Amino acid sequence: MHALIVHCHPEPASFNAVLTAVAKTTLRERGFSVDISDLYREGFDPCERPEHYPNRKNRDVFSPLGEQRHAFETNSLPEDVRREIARLEGADLVVFQFPIWWHSQPAILKGWFDRVFVNGGLYTSTMRYDRGYFRGRTALCSITTGAPEVAFGRDSRAGDIERILWSTHFSLHYMGFHVLPPFVAFGIQGHGYAYADEDSNNRRLIRYRETWMERLKGLDRNTPLTFPVWDDWDEDGRAKPVSTPSP
Amino acid sequence: MHALIVHCHPEPASFNAVLTAVAKTTLRERGFSVDISDLYREGFDPCERPEHYPNRKNRDVFSPLGEQRHAFETNSLPEDVRREIARLEGADLVVFQFPIWWHSQPAILKGWFDRVFVNGGLYTSTMRYDRGYFRGRTALCSITTGAPEVAFGRDSRAGDIERILWSTHFSLHYMGFHVLPPFVAFGIQGHGYAYADEDSNNRRLIRYRETWMERLKGLDRNTPLTFPVWDDWDEDGRAKPVSTPSP
């Protein structure tokens, strides 16, 4: 079994880095080989742009999806994208480790989705969702938040985690992954302000490390999140009426 | 009245560029002065990282929010961030023009949020939401999608627009903006595949240009989207129980 950790934080001493180190060790102890994409360290460019495609299909108008497909078909994808795809190819499990910034993933990780999940290569109009390229593989987001746990929830001040991660999760579902419920470390400090005193903060960090370790040991027992699949849609993509309407 | 259009597409001949041009013209005709942040053309760097902060508060550990606050307080914010803030300062209306990529905004726009909405400067723990820096100002997302309109909706194949834009909208609400309902141009081509023949496609594009123009002329009559505000939360940020529970 092989795992890829897509790690996304600019500070090597961040708590995100601690969680990635915990995942690497714990997964290796469980018999996984582990590879890490450290997006900041590797200087990953998150911007999809013409400069990535010297061998253009259309030199007049830059269509990101058209050029992705063409580059895939002509074996001229950008080197960093080829590297990320190679890392993904072997991975039974992909862990995304990132802080929540502005109610979603940091730009560098968003751009990893924009550039690495190549149109015409890793997905097509028929190779998506439960027929996706990565069907049978598993993905898991491990996130940190600045706000404390109490502030999260539907209509609460920090929003709810399900909405915050919906775009990321649905994109992984689109690619065929089984998406496990996220691991969330709330109220992570180092942001220039503090919700708690240092001791209680340290205790919380230690507890999150342990919870993350236990979570990784028990991944086999996790039930993936549920998303609609091809059988739920008519041929135009509309949700079919449910047979037993809710009251 | 002044408007800022934050434009986000790598291709100058894209339909996103057409919509931005329509907005510029229409808003000027309505008496607005209009400024445009063209993120791709200006080479905006979407990655929050230590290199942006030569005058560090903490040289050992890079805390993005801590350094944002310090840079604001010492008047040493990065030049591109200062430029974007200056553009925002005068804007009564901010229009975000972007394509939906992977169920959210492109990385370059996500990074604009990560870097420009400066902690300790444009928001603090008490200057947020309906007490936010931009209270009284209006924001509006104008988006394009690849998938056709029929495929959008709760549990439908392309997901629903409310979820797709939730993070972006809630972040704008966090900053104090009134967020208007989005303008959506569905099924925009140039992606290397087509849902429709060229004629019907051209008719749709012309219709969207006209609809967008009409929408911009009638912005005063738009009701902003509703998000929870300070009065809806207890002091910990939990949603207060609603007085009349729904059945």
Side-chain angles (χ1 to χ4, degrees), chain A residues 11 62-63 103 129 157 190, chain B residues 11 48 62-63 129 157 167 190:
Chain A
E11 170 51 53
F62 176 65
S63 157
H103 313 100
Y129 309 105
R157 199 167 64 210
Chain B
E11 170 52 52
E48 184 58 305
F62 176 66
S63 157
Y129 310 105
R157 200 167 61 209
S167 295

Side-chain angles (χ1 to χ4, degrees), chain A residues 11 40 48 62-63 101-105 107 110 113-114 129 155-157 163 166-167 171 190 233 237 239, chain B residues 11 40 48 62-63 101-105 107 110 113-114 129 155-157 163 166-167 171 190 233 237 239:
Chain A
E11 170 51 53
Y40 268 99
E48 185 57 306
F62 176 65
S63 157
W101 289 355
W102 291 108
H103 313 100
S104 62
Q105 74 275 64
K110 177 54 178 45
F113 280 70
D114 293 346
Y129 309 105
D155 293 332
S156 289
R157 199 167 64 210
R163 283 184 181 217
W166 183 85
S167 296
S171 294
W233 306 313
Chain B
E11 170 52 52
Y40 269 99
E48 184 58 305
F62 176 66
S63 157
W101 290 354
W102 290 108
H103 312 99
S104 62
Q105 75 275 64
K110 177 53 179 44
F113 281 70
D114 293 346
Y129 310 105
D155 293 333
S156 288
R157 200 167 61 209
R163 283 185 183 218
W166 183 84
S167 295
S171 295
W233 305 313

Side-chain angles (χ1 to χ4, degrees), chain B residues 52-73:
Chain B
H52 293 304
Y53 301 93
N55 170 30
R56 289 268 288 276
K57 181 188 179 190
N58 182 339
R59 300 217 157 263
D60 299 324
V61 177
F62 176 66
S63 157
L65 299 193
E67 295 302 336
Q68 285 187 357
R69 176 183 288 269
H70 179 67
F72 180 83
E73 287 169 354

